[in-house]
Amino acid sequence: MIPFLDLKNINQQYREELIASCTRVIDSGWYIGGNELEQFEQNFANYCGVKFAIGVANGLDALILTLRAWKELGKLQDGDEVIVPSNTYIASILAITANNLTPVLVEPDINTYNLDPKKIEAAITPKTKVILPVHLYGQLAAMSEIMRLAKKHNLLVLEDSAQSHGAQIDYKKAGNWGDASGFSFYPGKNLGALGDAGAITTNDAELAQMLKALRNYGSHEKYKNLFVGVNSRLDEIQAAMLDVKLKHLDVEVNHRRTIAKMYLEGIKNSELILPLSDIDASQYDQHVWHLFVIRSKNREELQQYLSENGVQTLIHYPIPPHKQQAYKEWNDLNYPISEKIHDEVMSLPIGPTMSLEDVKKVIQLCNCFKV
């Protein structure tokens, strides 16, 4: 079986470095809020091209705490509206409702699966205070246009960069476009920890200070709590392991790009819709290919066919947020582009340890698929 993503092999490449880092933390006797976290935060900030990175427990907390910090700073209040893509993973929505803010679902561009700037402006009301673009599958949203709209309407921008570590437009990376950005380091991400982990990036010193307090019980100084905070800290071991893997991230992404290029050039089945099939060389190194997502009207048959022939695939994602039981008040709403995407998408295997022979097998099977 060709696995969708072989996490064991990915981490095996760096086994000695990871063990050495883990041993260093164990031997230090310092496990929360120490040198390893400070070093990773600085290195990740440098990688993204920003002034500050604040480590937190996971990617959802990164989004929740950023919106929460803006409320504490007086920039948001209960009931304010946040524009968010209607086809995102539910975490983007959960972060909004967790802060008593109102999600405004906006349809994506069917070709990129990211927020369509043309639809954003039509959704802006006097209550709109934030745009939350999600850089889905490893490609940045149309950030130049989004930032122009945000400036025009005096809106905050919170990037959801959970799938886009290192993605860029004109050499400006994910996490350095908006007022802040939330990252996930879930093990399956391009930069994955060996457990849950996340971070927030920003160039705003006031926001960074607030976030450091909120992640730590609302405290900058032990036993002095200025805010009603939470416990959402990136621990020393995960920070140390992420620092090891950050050094290898660009090499891994380049292998993903090689696989993506092979898929784009090799899959010729008219039954399948490929991502960015019109990509040109000037754009190619801007996508980090966290996922290689195709579409088919016969997805179930295709997935079964590939499975029977030894290829594991996944669906990102089968149910749109407005159809989830968690948001049953939205279940009767109609978002046709999102529904079409969720009904048709399927992710092919792609990862930094996938062999090119396995890529060729996937291509051959895709080309032989018939209904």
Side-chain angles (χ1 to χ4, degrees), residues 2-6 10 137 188 190 252-253 255-261 263 284 288-293 312 347-354 359 362:
I2 297 174
F4 179 76
L5 185 67
D6 193 335
I10 289 171
Y137 307 148
N190 285 20
E252 291 197 356
V253 166
H255 188 68
R256 289 175 177 272
R257 288 178 177 140
T258 297
I259 295 169
K261 187 175 183 181
Y263 280 152
Y284 195 75
V288 295
W289 300 101
H290 172 60
L291 298 171
F292 190 94
V293 179
Q312 182 186 27
S347 303
L348 297 179
I350 190 167
T353 60
M354 186 178 183
V359 178
V362 175

PDB file of all heavy atoms in Angstrom, residues 2-6 10 137 188 190 252-253 255-261 263 284 288-293 312 347-354 359 362:
ATOM      1  N   ILE A   2       0.592   2.162  -0.901  1.00  0.00           N
ATOM      2  CA  ILE A   2       1.243   3.472  -0.887  1.00  0.00           C
ATOM      3  C   ILE A   2       0.484   4.320   0.120  1.00  0.00           C
ATOM      4  O   ILE A   2      -0.681   4.655  -0.093  1.00  0.00           O
ATOM      5  CB  ILE A   2       1.204   4.119  -2.274  1.00  0.00           C
ATOM      6  CG1 ILE A   2       1.984   3.275  -3.281  1.00  0.00           C
ATOM      7  CG2 ILE A   2       1.780   5.539  -2.214  1.00  0.00           C
ATOM      8  CD1 ILE A   2       1.866   3.772  -4.716  1.00  0.00           C
ATOM      9  N   PRO A   3       1.114   4.686   1.252  1.00  0.00           N
ATOM     10  CA  PRO A   3       0.386   5.445   2.278  1.00  0.00           C
ATOM     11  C   PRO A   3       0.146   6.873   1.842  1.00  0.00           C
ATOM     12  O   PRO A   3       0.924   7.439   1.059  1.00  0.00           O
ATOM     13  CB  PRO A   3       1.316   5.377   3.483  1.00  0.00           C
ATOM     14  CG  PRO A   3       2.688   5.254   2.899  1.00  0.00           C
ATOM     15  CD  PRO A   3       2.516   4.433   1.636  1.00  0.00           C
ATOM     16  N   PHE A   4      -0.899   7.461   2.384  1.00  0.00           N
ATOM     17  CA  PHE A   4      -1.165   8.860   2.081  1.00  0.00           C
ATOM     18  C   PHE A   4      -0.021   9.739   2.571  1.00  0.00           C
ATOM     19  O   PHE A   4       0.432  10.646   1.866  1.00  0.00           O
ATOM     20  CB  PHE A   4      -2.486   9.299   2.714  1.00  0.00           C
ATOM     21  CG  PHE A   4      -2.803  10.739   2.461  1.00  0.00           C
ATOM     22  CD1 PHE A   4      -3.274  11.145   1.230  1.00  0.00           C
ATOM     23  CD2 PHE A   4      -2.595  11.696   3.438  1.00  0.00           C
ATOM     24  CE1 PHE A   4      -3.540  12.485   0.969  1.00  0.00           C
ATOM     25  CE2 PHE A   4      -2.861  13.030   3.195  1.00  0.00           C
ATOM     26  CZ  PHE A   4      -3.332  13.419   1.958  1.00  0.00           C
ATOM     27  N   LEU A   5       0.452   9.479   3.787  1.00  0.00           N
ATOM     28  CA  LEU A   5       1.565  10.232   4.372  1.00  0.00           C
ATOM     29  C   LEU A   5       2.223   9.333   5.406  1.00  0.00           C
ATOM     30  O   LEU A   5       1.553   8.859   6.320  1.00  0.00           O
ATOM     31  CB  LEU A   5       1.062  11.520   5.032  1.00  0.00           C
ATOM     32  CG  LEU A   5       2.128  12.469   5.592  1.00  0.00           C
ATOM     33  CD1 LEU A   5       2.959  13.080   4.474  1.00  0.00           C
ATOM     34  CD2 LEU A   5       1.478  13.567   6.434  1.00  0.00           C
ATOM     35  N   ASP A   6       3.524   9.103   5.263  1.00  0.00           N
ATOM     36  CA  ASP A   6       4.246   8.178   6.141  1.00  0.00           C
ATOM     37  C   ASP A   6       4.985   8.967   7.215  1.00  0.00           C
ATOM     38  O   ASP A   6       6.158   9.315   7.066  1.00  0.00           O
ATOM     39  CB  ASP A   6       5.218   7.338   5.319  1.00  0.00           C
ATOM     40  CG  ASP A   6       5.759   6.155   6.096  1.00  0.00           C
ATOM     41  OD1 ASP A   6       5.778   6.218   7.336  1.00  0.00           O
ATOM     42  OD2 ASP A   6       6.170   5.163   5.457  1.00  0.00           O
ATOM     43  N   ILE A  10       9.017   9.998   7.789  1.00  0.00           N
ATOM     44  CA  ILE A  10       9.379  11.413   7.791  1.00  0.00           C
ATOM     45  C   ILE A  10      10.246  11.734   8.998  1.00  0.00           C
ATOM     46  O   ILE A  10      11.305  12.357   8.884  1.00  0.00           O
ATOM     47  CB  ILE A  10       8.108  12.295   7.785  1.00  0.00           C
ATOM     48  CG1 ILE A  10       7.416  12.194   6.423  1.00  0.00           C
ATOM     49  CG2 ILE A  10       8.461  13.761   8.084  1.00  0.00           C
ATOM     50  CD1 ILE A  10       6.046  12.842   6.383  1.00  0.00           C
ATOM     51  N   TYR A 137      -4.690  24.032   1.510  1.00  0.00           N
ATOM     52  CA  TYR A 137      -3.927  23.021   0.772  1.00  0.00           C
ATOM     53  C   TYR A 137      -2.478  23.410   0.498  1.00  0.00           C
ATOM     54  O   TYR A 137      -1.750  22.670  -0.162  1.00  0.00           O
ATOM     55  CB  TYR A 137      -4.610  22.655  -0.556  1.00  0.00           C
ATOM     56  CG  TYR A 137      -6.056  22.240  -0.431  1.00  0.00           C
ATOM     57  CD1 TYR A 137      -6.966  22.504  -1.448  1.00  0.00           C
ATOM     58  CD2 TYR A 137      -6.532  21.579   0.710  1.00  0.00           C
ATOM     59  CE1 TYR A 137      -8.300  22.113  -1.347  1.00  0.00           C
ATOM     60  CE2 TYR A 137      -7.856  21.197   0.824  1.00  0.00           C
ATOM     61  CZ  TYR A 137      -8.739  21.469  -0.211  1.00  0.00           C
ATOM     62  OH  TYR A 137     -10.056  21.087  -0.111  1.00  0.00           O
ATOM     63  N   GLY A 188       0.820  15.922  10.948  1.00  0.00           N
ATOM     64  CA  GLY A 188       0.709  15.750   9.508  1.00  0.00           C
ATOM     65  C   GLY A 188       0.960  17.000   8.692  1.00  0.00           C
ATOM     66  O   GLY A 188       0.942  16.948   7.452  1.00  0.00           O
ATOM     67  N   ASN A 190       3.111  20.248   7.019  1.00  0.00           N
ATOM     68  CA  ASN A 190       4.444  20.306   6.401  1.00  0.00           C
ATOM     69  C   ASN A 190       5.533  20.514   7.435  1.00  0.00           C
ATOM     70  O   ASN A 190       6.626  19.969   7.320  1.00  0.00           O
ATOM     71  CB  ASN A 190       4.495  21.414   5.354  1.00  0.00           C
ATOM     72  CG  ASN A 190       3.756  21.050   4.073  1.00  0.00           C
ATOM     73  OD1 ASN A 190       2.908  20.163   4.070  1.00  0.00           O
ATOM     74  ND2 ASN A 190       4.080  21.736   2.993  1.00  0.00           N
ATOM     75  N   GLU A 252      12.091  19.530   2.259  1.00  0.00           N
ATOM     76  CA  GLU A 252      10.896  18.692   2.176  1.00  0.00           C
ATOM     77  C   GLU A 252       9.862  19.295   1.228  1.00  0.00           C
ATOM     78  O   GLU A 252       9.230  18.582   0.444  1.00  0.00           O
ATOM     79  CB  GLU A 252      10.294  18.500   3.565  1.00  0.00           C
ATOM     80  CG  GLU A 252      11.157  17.642   4.489  1.00  0.00           C
ATOM     81  CD  GLU A 252      10.377  17.122   5.680  1.00  0.00           C
ATOM     82  OE1 GLU A 252       9.191  17.486   5.837  1.00  0.00           O
ATOM     83  OE2 GLU A 252      10.968  16.334   6.453  1.00  0.00           O
ATOM     84  N   VAL A 253       9.686  20.599   1.296  1.00  0.00           N
ATOM     85  CA  VAL A 253       8.719  21.254   0.420  1.00  0.00           C
ATOM     86  C   VAL A 253       9.141  21.103  -1.041  1.00  0.00           C
ATOM     87  O   VAL A 253       8.288  20.885  -1.923  1.00  0.00           O
ATOM     88  CB  VAL A 253       8.563  22.743   0.798  1.00  0.00           C
ATOM     89  CG1 VAL A 253       7.830  23.514  -0.297  1.00  0.00           C
ATOM     90  CG2 VAL A 253       7.816  22.871   2.121  1.00  0.00           C
ATOM     91  N   HIS A 255      10.634  18.621  -2.378  1.00  0.00           N
ATOM     92  CA  HIS A 255      10.254  17.275  -2.830  1.00  0.00           C
ATOM     93  C   HIS A 255       8.756  17.218  -3.110  1.00  0.00           C
ATOM     94  O   HIS A 255       8.323  16.584  -4.087  1.00  0.00           O
ATOM     95  CB  HIS A 255      10.650  16.225  -1.792  1.00  0.00           C
ATOM     96  CG  HIS A 255      10.464  14.819  -2.279  1.00  0.00           C
ATOM     97  ND1 HIS A 255      11.229  14.279  -3.288  1.00  0.00           N
ATOM     98  CD2 HIS A 255       9.579  13.847  -1.906  1.00  0.00           C
ATOM     99  CE1 HIS A 255      10.842  13.030  -3.513  1.00  0.00           C
ATOM    100  NE2 HIS A 255       9.836  12.743  -2.692  1.00  0.00           N
ATOM    101  N   ARG A 256       7.969  17.880  -2.268  1.00  0.00           N
ATOM    102  CA  ARG A 256       6.531  17.945  -2.527  1.00  0.00           C
ATOM    103  C   ARG A 256       6.262  18.625  -3.880  1.00  0.00           C
ATOM    104  O   ARG A 256       5.376  18.203  -4.632  1.00  0.00           O
ATOM    105  CB  ARG A 256       5.830  18.727  -1.413  1.00  0.00           C
ATOM    106  CG  ARG A 256       5.762  17.994  -0.071  1.00  0.00           C
ATOM    107  CD  ARG A 256       5.168  18.891   1.002  1.00  0.00           C
ATOM    108  NE  ARG A 256       5.016  18.201   2.266  1.00  0.00           N
ATOM    109  CZ  ARG A 256       3.954  17.502   2.629  1.00  0.00           C
ATOM    110  NH1 ARG A 256       2.926  17.406   1.800  1.00  0.00           N
ATOM    111  NH2 ARG A 256       3.895  16.906   3.801  1.00  0.00           N
ATOM    112  N   ARG A 257       7.026  19.665  -4.178  1.00  0.00           N
ATOM    113  CA  ARG A 257       6.844  20.356  -5.465  1.00  0.00           C
ATOM    114  C   ARG A 257       7.197  19.447  -6.634  1.00  0.00           C
ATOM    115  O   ARG A 257       6.539  19.482  -7.688  1.00  0.00           O
ATOM    116  CB  ARG A 257       7.699  21.626  -5.487  1.00  0.00           C
ATOM    117  CG  ARG A 257       7.164  22.720  -4.589  1.00  0.00           C
ATOM    118  CD  ARG A 257       8.053  23.945  -4.592  1.00  0.00           C
ATOM    119  NE  ARG A 257       7.473  25.008  -3.781  1.00  0.00           N
ATOM    120  CZ  ARG A 257       8.162  25.802  -2.971  1.00  0.00           C
ATOM    121  NH1 ARG A 257       9.477  25.662  -2.860  1.00  0.00           N
ATOM    122  NH2 ARG A 257       7.550  26.739  -2.270  1.00  0.00           N
ATOM    123  N   THR A 258       8.224  18.627  -6.465  1.00  0.00           N
ATOM    124  CA  THR A 258       8.586  17.673  -7.508  1.00  0.00           C
ATOM    125  C   THR A 258       7.440  16.706  -7.765  1.00  0.00           C
ATOM    126  O   THR A 258       7.087  16.420  -8.926  1.00  0.00           O
ATOM    127  CB  THR A 258       9.850  16.898  -7.102  1.00  0.00           C
ATOM    128  OG1 THR A 258      10.940  17.803  -6.983  1.00  0.00           O
ATOM    129  CG2 THR A 258      10.192  15.822  -8.129  1.00  0.00           C
ATOM    130  N   ILE A 259       6.849  16.190  -6.691  1.00  0.00           N
ATOM    131  CA  ILE A 259       5.722  15.264  -6.832  1.00  0.00           C
ATOM    132  C   ILE A 259       4.541  15.958  -7.501  1.00  0.00           C
ATOM    133  O   ILE A 259       3.921  15.418  -8.428  1.00  0.00           O
ATOM    134  CB  ILE A 259       5.314  14.710  -5.457  1.00  0.00           C
ATOM    135  CG1 ILE A 259       6.438  13.864  -4.864  1.00  0.00           C
ATOM    136  CG2 ILE A 259       4.023  13.884  -5.562  1.00  0.00           C
ATOM    137  CD1 ILE A 259       6.236  13.485  -3.410  1.00  0.00           C
ATOM    138  N   ALA A 260       4.234  17.176  -7.042  1.00  0.00           N
ATOM    139  CA  ALA A 260       3.108  17.914  -7.609  1.00  0.00           C
ATOM    140  C   ALA A 260       3.305  18.154  -9.104  1.00  0.00           C
ATOM    141  O   ALA A 260       2.363  18.008  -9.901  1.00  0.00           O
ATOM    142  CB  ALA A 260       2.929  19.235  -6.875  1.00  0.00           C
ATOM    143  N   LYS A 261       4.521  18.499  -9.485  1.00  0.00           N
ATOM    144  CA  LYS A 261       4.799  18.734 -10.903  1.00  0.00           C
ATOM    145  C   LYS A 261       4.604  17.461 -11.716  1.00  0.00           C
ATOM    146  O   LYS A 261       4.049  17.489 -12.828  1.00  0.00           O
ATOM    147  CB  LYS A 261       6.218  19.272 -11.073  1.00  0.00           C
ATOM    148  CG  LYS A 261       6.539  19.704 -12.502  1.00  0.00           C
ATOM    149  CD  LYS A 261       7.917  20.350 -12.578  1.00  0.00           C
ATOM    150  CE  LYS A 261       8.182  20.842 -13.998  1.00  0.00           C
ATOM    151  NZ  LYS A 261       9.519  21.464 -14.120  1.00  0.00           N
ATOM    152  N   TYR A 263       2.583  14.970 -10.961  1.00  0.00           N
ATOM    153  CA  TYR A 263       1.135  14.754 -11.063  1.00  0.00           C
ATOM    154  C   TYR A 263       0.522  15.665 -12.125  1.00  0.00           C
ATOM    155  O   TYR A 263      -0.278  15.229 -12.954  1.00  0.00           O
ATOM    156  CB  TYR A 263       0.466  15.045  -9.715  1.00  0.00           C
ATOM    157  CG  TYR A 263       0.557  13.946  -8.669  1.00  0.00           C
ATOM    158  CD1 TYR A 263       0.534  14.273  -7.306  1.00  0.00           C
ATOM    159  CD2 TYR A 263       0.626  12.600  -9.006  1.00  0.00           C
ATOM    160  CE1 TYR A 263       0.589  13.288  -6.326  1.00  0.00           C
ATOM    161  CE2 TYR A 263       0.689  11.608  -8.041  1.00  0.00           C
ATOM    162  CZ  TYR A 263       0.668  11.957  -6.693  1.00  0.00           C
ATOM    163  OH  TYR A 263       0.716  10.986  -5.726  1.00  0.00           O
ATOM    164  N   TYR A 284       5.301  28.665  -9.524  1.00  0.00           N
ATOM    165  CA  TYR A 284       5.389  27.307  -9.022  1.00  0.00           C
ATOM    166  C   TYR A 284       5.977  27.208  -7.622  1.00  0.00           C
ATOM    167  O   TYR A 284       5.519  26.425  -6.804  1.00  0.00           O
ATOM    168  CB  TYR A 284       6.194  26.427  -9.988  1.00  0.00           C
ATOM    169  CG  TYR A 284       5.998  24.970  -9.680  1.00  0.00           C
ATOM    170  CD1 TYR A 284       4.804  24.351 -10.027  1.00  0.00           C
ATOM    171  CD2 TYR A 284       6.945  24.253  -8.980  1.00  0.00           C
ATOM    172  CE1 TYR A 284       4.570  23.036  -9.714  1.00  0.00           C
ATOM    173  CE2 TYR A 284       6.724  22.930  -8.656  1.00  0.00           C
ATOM    174  CZ  TYR A 284       5.530  22.327  -9.036  1.00  0.00           C
ATOM    175  OH  TYR A 284       5.306  21.035  -8.688  1.00  0.00           O
ATOM    176  N   VAL A 288       3.221  25.307  -1.444  1.00  0.00           N
ATOM    177  CA  VAL A 288       4.007  24.326  -0.685  1.00  0.00           C
ATOM    178  C   VAL A 288       3.359  22.941  -0.692  1.00  0.00           C
ATOM    179  O   VAL A 288       3.874  22.017  -0.052  1.00  0.00           O
ATOM    180  CB  VAL A 288       4.264  24.784   0.763  1.00  0.00           C
ATOM    181  CG1 VAL A 288       5.140  26.028   0.774  1.00  0.00           C
ATOM    182  CG2 VAL A 288       2.965  25.016   1.530  1.00  0.00           C
ATOM    183  N   TRP A 289       2.248  22.779  -1.391  1.00  0.00           N
ATOM    184  CA  TRP A 289       1.663  21.462  -1.648  1.00  0.00           C
ATOM    185  C   TRP A 289       1.517  20.626  -0.387  1.00  0.00           C
ATOM    186  O   TRP A 289       1.946  19.472  -0.324  1.00  0.00           O
ATOM    187  CB  TRP A 289       2.459  20.726  -2.716  1.00  0.00           C
ATOM    188  CG  TRP A 289       2.484  21.465  -4.011  1.00  0.00           C
ATOM    189  CD1 TRP A 289       3.506  22.233  -4.503  1.00  0.00           C
ATOM    190  CD2 TRP A 289       1.427  21.574  -4.970  1.00  0.00           C
ATOM    191  NE1 TRP A 289       3.161  22.805  -5.707  1.00  0.00           N
ATOM    192  CE2 TRP A 289       1.876  22.415  -6.016  1.00  0.00           C
ATOM    193  CE3 TRP A 289       0.131  21.043  -5.040  1.00  0.00           C
ATOM    194  CZ2 TRP A 289       1.096  22.733  -7.109  1.00  0.00           C
ATOM    195  CZ3 TRP A 289      -0.657  21.355  -6.147  1.00  0.00           C
ATOM    196  CH2 TRP A 289      -0.169  22.190  -7.153  1.00  0.00           C
ATOM    197  N   HIS A 290       0.896  21.215   0.635  1.00  0.00           N
ATOM    198  CA  HIS A 290       0.538  20.419   1.808  1.00  0.00           C
ATOM    199  C   HIS A 290      -0.356  19.258   1.391  1.00  0.00           C
ATOM    200  O   HIS A 290      -0.210  18.130   1.887  1.00  0.00           O
ATOM    201  CB  HIS A 290      -0.175  21.299   2.838  1.00  0.00           C
ATOM    202  CG  HIS A 290      -0.751  20.535   3.978  1.00  0.00           C
ATOM    203  ND1 HIS A 290       0.015  19.768   4.823  1.00  0.00           N
ATOM    204  CD2 HIS A 290      -2.041  20.394   4.419  1.00  0.00           C
ATOM    205  CE1 HIS A 290      -0.760  19.192   5.733  1.00  0.00           C
ATOM    206  NE2 HIS A 290      -2.006  19.556   5.506  1.00  0.00           N
ATOM    207  N   LEU A 291      -1.264  19.540   0.475  1.00  0.00           N
ATOM    208  CA  LEU A 291      -2.134  18.503  -0.090  1.00  0.00           C
ATOM    209  C   LEU A 291      -2.182  18.661  -1.606  1.00  0.00           C
ATOM    210  O   LEU A 291      -2.093  19.786  -2.117  1.00  0.00           O
ATOM    211  CB  LEU A 291      -3.555  18.619   0.469  1.00  0.00           C
ATOM    212  CG  LEU A 291      -3.713  18.443   1.986  1.00  0.00           C
ATOM    213  CD1 LEU A 291      -5.132  18.806   2.414  1.00  0.00           C
ATOM    214  CD2 LEU A 291      -3.380  17.022   2.405  1.00  0.00           C
ATOM    215  N   PHE A 292      -2.294  17.534  -2.309  1.00  0.00           N
ATOM    216  CA  PHE A 292      -2.528  17.578  -3.743  1.00  0.00           C
ATOM    217  C   PHE A 292      -3.964  17.104  -3.952  1.00  0.00           C
ATOM    218  O   PHE A 292      -4.272  15.916  -3.858  1.00  0.00           O
ATOM    219  CB  PHE A 292      -1.547  16.687  -4.511  1.00  0.00           C
ATOM    220  CG  PHE A 292      -1.620  16.898  -6.000  1.00  0.00           C
ATOM    221  CD1 PHE A 292      -0.763  17.790  -6.625  1.00  0.00           C
ATOM    222  CD2 PHE A 292      -2.556  16.216  -6.773  1.00  0.00           C
ATOM    223  CE1 PHE A 292      -0.837  18.007  -8.003  1.00  0.00           C
ATOM    224  CE2 PHE A 292      -2.644  16.423  -8.139  1.00  0.00           C
ATOM    225  CZ  PHE A 292      -1.776  17.317  -8.756  1.00  0.00           C
ATOM    226  N   VAL A 293      -4.837  18.077  -4.205  1.00  0.00           N
ATOM    227  CA  VAL A 293      -6.279  17.819  -4.192  1.00  0.00           C
ATOM    228  C   VAL A 293      -6.824  17.838  -5.616  1.00  0.00           C
ATOM    229  O   VAL A 293      -6.710  18.841  -6.329  1.00  0.00           O
ATOM    230  CB  VAL A 293      -7.002  18.866  -3.328  1.00  0.00           C
ATOM    231  CG1 VAL A 293      -8.511  18.619  -3.335  1.00  0.00           C
ATOM    232  CG2 VAL A 293      -6.471  18.812  -1.899  1.00  0.00           C
ATOM    233  N   GLN A 312      -3.542   4.753  -0.869  1.00  0.00           N
ATOM    234  CA  GLN A 312      -4.381   5.366   0.155  1.00  0.00           C
ATOM    235  C   GLN A 312      -4.637   6.831  -0.190  1.00  0.00           C
ATOM    236  O   GLN A 312      -3.707   7.577  -0.495  1.00  0.00           O
ATOM    237  CB  GLN A 312      -3.717   5.279   1.533  1.00  0.00           C
ATOM    238  CG  GLN A 312      -4.558   5.854   2.656  1.00  0.00           C
ATOM    239  CD  GLN A 312      -3.825   5.897   3.990  1.00  0.00           C
ATOM    240  OE1 GLN A 312      -2.611   5.977   4.031  1.00  0.00           O
ATOM    241  NE2 GLN A 312      -4.569   5.846   5.080  1.00  0.00           N
ATOM    242  N   SER A 347      -7.757  13.820  -1.991  1.00  0.00           N
ATOM    243  CA  SER A 347      -6.334  14.135  -1.908  1.00  0.00           C
ATOM    244  C   SER A 347      -5.491  12.905  -2.236  1.00  0.00           C
ATOM    245  O   SER A 347      -5.664  11.848  -1.616  1.00  0.00           O
ATOM    246  CB  SER A 347      -5.988  14.634  -0.504  1.00  0.00           C
ATOM    247  OG  SER A 347      -6.774  15.759  -0.169  1.00  0.00           O
ATOM    248  N   LEU A 348      -4.586  13.063  -3.200  1.00  0.00           N
ATOM    249  CA  LEU A 348      -3.657  11.993  -3.560  1.00  0.00           C
ATOM    250  C   LEU A 348      -2.466  11.992  -2.610  1.00  0.00           C
ATOM    251  O   LEU A 348      -2.150  13.018  -1.999  1.00  0.00           O
ATOM    252  CB  LEU A 348      -3.153  12.190  -4.995  1.00  0.00           C
ATOM    253  CG  LEU A 348      -4.197  12.121  -6.110  1.00  0.00           C
ATOM    254  CD1 LEU A 348      -3.525  12.355  -7.466  1.00  0.00           C
ATOM    255  CD2 LEU A 348      -4.943  10.792  -6.098  1.00  0.00           C
ATOM    256  N   PRO A 349      -1.770  10.870  -2.476  1.00  0.00           N
ATOM    257  CA  PRO A 349      -0.591  10.837  -1.604  1.00  0.00           C
ATOM    258  C   PRO A 349       0.454  11.862  -2.032  1.00  0.00           C
ATOM    259  O   PRO A 349       0.725  12.018  -3.236  1.00  0.00           O
ATOM    260  CB  PRO A 349      -0.055   9.415  -1.779  1.00  0.00           C
ATOM    261  CG  PRO A 349      -1.197   8.621  -2.293  1.00  0.00           C
ATOM    262  CD  PRO A 349      -2.029   9.569  -3.106  1.00  0.00           C
ATOM    263  N   ILE A 350       1.008  12.551  -1.064  1.00  0.00           N
ATOM    264  CA  ILE A 350       2.128  13.460  -1.319  1.00  0.00           C
ATOM    265  C   ILE A 350       2.853  13.666   0.000  1.00  0.00           C
ATOM    266  O   ILE A 350       2.220  13.824   1.039  1.00  0.00           O
ATOM    267  CB  ILE A 350       1.649  14.806  -1.914  1.00  0.00           C
ATOM    268  CG1 ILE A 350       2.834  15.646  -2.398  1.00  0.00           C
ATOM    269  CG2 ILE A 350       0.790  15.583  -0.934  1.00  0.00           C
ATOM    270  CD1 ILE A 350       2.431  16.840  -3.266  1.00  0.00           C
ATOM    271  N   GLY A 351       4.161  13.607  -0.038  1.00  0.00           N
ATOM    272  CA  GLY A 351       4.923  13.765   1.191  1.00  0.00           C
ATOM    273  C   GLY A 351       6.412  13.738   0.917  1.00  0.00           C
ATOM    274  O   GLY A 351       6.855  13.306  -0.156  1.00  0.00           O
ATOM    275  N   PRO A 352       7.202  14.188   1.876  1.00  0.00           N
ATOM    276  CA  PRO A 352       8.642  14.356   1.654  1.00  0.00           C
ATOM    277  C   PRO A 352       9.426  13.055   1.534  1.00  0.00           C
ATOM    278  O   PRO A 352      10.583  13.080   1.127  1.00  0.00           O
ATOM    279  CB  PRO A 352       9.095  15.157   2.884  1.00  0.00           C
ATOM    280  CG  PRO A 352       8.092  14.846   3.929  1.00  0.00           C
ATOM    281  CD  PRO A 352       6.797  14.675   3.205  1.00  0.00           C
ATOM    282  N   THR A 353       8.824  11.911   1.883  1.00  0.00           N
ATOM    283  CA  THR A 353       9.541  10.635   1.742  1.00  0.00           C
ATOM    284  C   THR A 353       8.913   9.742   0.673  1.00  0.00           C
ATOM    285  O   THR A 353       9.340   8.608   0.496  1.00  0.00           O
ATOM    286  CB  THR A 353       9.571   9.874   3.084  1.00  0.00           C
ATOM    287  OG1 THR A 353       8.234   9.604   3.508  1.00  0.00           O
ATOM    288  CG2 THR A 353      10.297  10.684   4.149  1.00  0.00           C
ATOM    289  N   MET A 354       7.926  10.241  -0.034  1.00  0.00           N
ATOM    290  CA  MET A 354       7.284   9.439  -1.076  1.00  0.00           C
ATOM    291  C   MET A 354       8.254   9.241  -2.240  1.00  0.00           C
ATOM    292  O   MET A 354       8.862  10.199  -2.738  1.00  0.00           O
ATOM    293  CB  MET A 354       6.015  10.133  -1.559  1.00  0.00           C
ATOM    294  CG  MET A 354       5.189   9.316  -2.539  1.00  0.00           C
ATOM    295  SD  MET A 354       3.680  10.197  -3.022  1.00  0.00           S
ATOM    296  CE  MET A 354       2.919   8.960  -4.086  1.00  0.00           C
ATOM    297  N   VAL A 359       4.992   7.666  -7.049  1.00  0.00           N
ATOM    298  CA  VAL A 359       4.283   8.746  -7.746  1.00  0.00           C
ATOM    299  C   VAL A 359       3.868   8.278  -9.140  1.00  0.00           C
ATOM    300  O   VAL A 359       2.727   8.487  -9.572  1.00  0.00           O
ATOM    301  CB  VAL A 359       5.152  10.012  -7.847  1.00  0.00           C
ATOM    302  CG1 VAL A 359       4.412  11.106  -8.613  1.00  0.00           C
ATOM    303  CG2 VAL A 359       5.537  10.522  -6.463  1.00  0.00           C
ATOM    304  N   VAL A 362       0.868   6.010  -8.975  1.00  0.00           N
ATOM    305  CA  VAL A 362      -0.377   6.747  -8.757  1.00  0.00           C
ATOM    306  C   VAL A 362      -0.844   7.390 -10.059  1.00  0.00           C
ATOM    307  O   VAL A 362      -2.032   7.345 -10.400  1.00  0.00           O
ATOM    308  CB  VAL A 362      -0.206   7.805  -7.651  1.00  0.00           C
ATOM    309  CG1 VAL A 362      -1.471   8.652  -7.517  1.00  0.00           C
ATOM    310  CG2 VAL A 362       0.121   7.148  -6.313  1.00  0.00           C
TER     311      VAL A 362
END
